[in-house]
Amino acid sequence: MAETIPYNPLDAEQRRDPYPLLARARREAPVFFSEAFNIWVVTRYEDVWTVLRDPVRFSSAISTNVRSEIPDEVAAILREGWGEVATLVSCDPPAHTRFRGLINKAFTPRRINEREPRIREIAGELLSRMAGRGRADLVWEFNYPLPMTVISEILGVPREDLDVFKRWSDDLVARLSFDLPLERQKACARSLVEFQKYFSARLDERAEDPRDDMLTAMINARIEGEAPLTRGEMLSILQQILVAGNETTTNLIGSMVALLLEDRTRWEAVCADPALIPAVVEEALRMEAPVQGLFRMATEDLELGGARIPKGAQLQLHYGAANRDEAEFAAAESFDMRRDNAATHLSFGGGPHFCLGAALARLEGRIALSMLCERLPDLRLVPDEPRERAPHFFLRGFEHLWVEWTPRP
Ligand code: HEM
């Protein structure tokens, strides 16, 4: 089959700006097959929604696992750990319904909003550390430590373990990408095993000595008629929370700040009217989906967006492309902080797998922006510093984002 759309998110040019090619796909081949990645890519809003709503015909059993074969040496390392169990993102109802039922309570908007004062405090500390210098790589000094510190507090990890936590997070994310050399795959497998052993020990401690934290809540989570979470299931959920909760939010903050500073009239408008902040967070999520697309498997031969998809085929739901579909969003390629339907973007997915951490990510995005506007209102991009997007098959965010401001005590 001829390659209709030369899709390659790992290519430097497409990484810089994937959207012209995705616009062409929406027009010419809205559901196209990528031979290079052996995957059907779904680009229109309506088609992505059709899939999200239908876990029977479109299974999540492979939703993040794009690599099907695990080399023997990697498998040997993984055997030292707990064995990977499919939970949440990589399973279907009814198993999925049980997991969400057991874990949702810890992530309701009410419970999350209770954390606002503490998140502000963490953001304030990070900004105080930078403020006197007048120049920083925002990704490394603010965008990454903010969600990482928040999630480690939610999980009850002490501050002195943050660096190793960061390494695990990076390695677990890396495992989800294509083209990892064998040595890197082995290192990532070792990180997973270390992560499992660490959290298994913390869960043992909580079973003996309960606290008011998420680990204790997981141990005690019960719903009528369902078995409580097993240790392997808890470790799998914790792994997903760590992976899903960090780089995604780091990427949201980076893309949002860049979208505003690239045209400083936008930045000034937000600083002058902080009531715009919630809408700006949604529009940034729409314009630059931090998770560009996740995966499903067709459970039967079917038709979608004019394409015939065979049973067993893998699909990538391209949230980044769907978010710029003109059929859903007027002038979809333009940033408009007053857009009234920005929040209908698909950056958190939809249907049964709708992002567990959406309320937390939104809150962190809002706090990050409001504190940056408050503390560093004259923030600007450093003109000659390159703003490279990190190489990843389905995550989109900056590796570095250099900014400057008038130093203050
Ligand atoms: C801007 C930040 C974030 C983005 C863009 C994002 C995006 C997504 C998307 C697109 C899905 C749907 C997966 C699918 O359709 O297969 C998802 C699911 C999920 N997210 Fe997020 N996420 C973010 C932040 C978070 C945070 C902060 C957490 C945890 C604290 C989190 C935890 C999860 C989990 C556990 C799932 C799986 C839910 C399920 O399958 O039932 N995410 N996220």
Side-chain angles (χ1 to χ4, degrees), residues 201-218:
R202 299 290 85 72
L203 287 162
D204 284 340
E205 286 166 13
R206 296 301 189 279
E208 285 287 306
D209 177 16
R211 291 196 207 161
D212 181 20
D213 66 12
M214 215 190 104
L215 297 184
T216 310
M218 282 180 111

Side-chain angles (χ1 to χ4, degrees), residues 61-277:
I62 49 111
S63 68
T64 52
N65 187 7
V66 284
R67 185 197 314 285
S68 46
E69 270 179 33
I70 297 181
D72 290 344
E73 290 170 67
V74 177
I77 297 170
L78 292 175
R79 274 196 295 277
E80 292 165 28
W82 280 82
E84 288 182 88
V85 183
T87 61
L88 291 177
V89 78
S90 46
C91 71
D92 298 317
H96 177 265
T97 319
R98 167 175 163 257
F99 292 125
R100 283 299 285 244
L102 286 163
I103 199 78
N104 271 345
K105 272 190 219 134
F107 284 91
T108 58
R110 191 183 58 79
R111 287 227 57 176
I112 293 304
N113 287 336
E114 285 167 8
R115 297 187 180 272
E116 175 157 2
R118 179 63 192 137
I119 300 176
R120 283 194 164 270
E121 204 170 80
I122 298 168
E125 277 170 27
L126 294 169
L127 290 176
S128 298
R129 265 184 236 164
M130 297 162 33
R133 267 181 284 141
R135 184 185 158 108
D137 180 349
L138 204 64
V139 172
W140 293 98
E141 306 236 10
F142 186 70
N143 305 354
Y144 132 67
L146 178 64
M148 180 65 90
T149 311
V150 170
I151 206 76
S152 61
E153 287 195 4
I154 290 179
L155 296 179
V157 175
R159 273 216 162 169
E160 55 275 20
D161 292 342
L162 263 183
D163 285 345
V164 65
F165 204 58
K166 161 75 177 145
R167 175 167 60 78
W168 292 336
S169 173
D170 288 348
D171 287 354
L172 296 180
V173 170
R175 287 185 80 226
L176 306 176
S177 198
F178 283 94
D179 79 349
L180 271 197
L182 180 65
E183 282 312 308
R184 186 79 185 96
Q185 287 187 50
K186 283 161 63 180
C188 293
R190 270 184 227 109
S191 285
L192 173 59
V193 172
E194 282 175 28
F195 170 84
Q196 291 175 329
K197 290 185 174 164
Y198 178 96
F199 273 99
S200 193
R202 299 290 85 72
L203 287 162
D204 284 340
E205 286 166 13
R206 296 301 189 279
E208 285 287 306
D209 177 16
R211 291 196 207 161
D212 181 20
D213 66 12
M214 215 190 104
L215 297 184
T216 310
M218 282 180 111
I219 294 171
N220 294 333
R222 296 287 182 278
I223 40 177
E224 216 184 309
E226 298 285 3
L229 293 168
T230 66
R231 180 60 57 96
E233 289 169 348
M234 288 187 222
L235 293 173
S236 162
I237 292 172
L238 288 168
Q239 183 185 332
Q240 284 184 41
I241 288 172
L242 175 65
V243 170
N246 283 315
E247 199 165 329
T248 48
T249 315
T250 301
N251 291 349
L252 161 64
I253 301 170
S255 293
M256 175 169 66
V257 170
L259 279 164
L260 295 172
L261 292 181
E262 275 159 9
D263 173 350
R264 263 193 120 268
T265 59
R266 295 173 182 162
W267 176 261
E268 281 155 20
V270 180
C271 290
D273 181 6
L276 287 169
I277 288 173

